[in-house]
């Protein structure tokens, strides 16, 4: 993710199949950012994650975890 706005509020939220928020991660700083997510607390399932900038959803993708 490349963040160009100063003072933007950026989050990556992970939801389960029932649209329940299971994790939320704040991303701080400007420029190119990398987010590593610890999936140890998540079981094998299908999840969805969204990237939000200033509470607007920029992108949403599917995340499949198999253990």
């Amino acid at each position: 993710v490349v963040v160009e706005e100063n003072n933007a509020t950026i989050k990556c939220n992970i939801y389960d199949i029932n649209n329940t928020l299971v994790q939320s991660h704040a991303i701080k700083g400007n420029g190119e950012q990398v987010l590593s997510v610890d999936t140890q607390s998540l079981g094998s399932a299908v999840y969805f994650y969204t990237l939000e900038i200033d509470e607007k959803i920029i992108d949403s993708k599917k995340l499949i975890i198999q253990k």
Side-chain angles (χ1 to χ4, degrees):
V1 172
V2 177
V3 180
E4 297 178 2
E5 299 179 38
N6 289 328
N7 300 320
T9 302
I10 305 156
K11 289 190 221 174
C12 178
N13 293 322
I14 301 174
Y15 299 89
D16 67 13
I17 196 76
N18 297 315
N19 203 33
T20 301
L21 180 66
V22 293
Q23 288 186 8
S24 183
H25 303 276
I27 302 171
K28 299 183 191 251
N30 292 342
E32 187 171 309
Q33 302 294 318
V34 176
L35 174 66
S36 296
V37 176
D38 181 9
T39 60
Q40 293 292 335
S41 65
L42 301 175
S44 295
V46 175
Y47 298 90
F48 297 92
Y49 64 93
T50 60
L51 177 64
E52 296 181 9
I53 298 178
D54 291 332
E55 298 184 16
K56 292 182 184 178
I57 295 175
I58 302 302
D59 201 4
S60 184
K61 302 276 184 187
K62 186 179 351 180
L63 170 66
I64 300 171
I65 298 178
Q66 295 179 327
K67 294 184 180 185

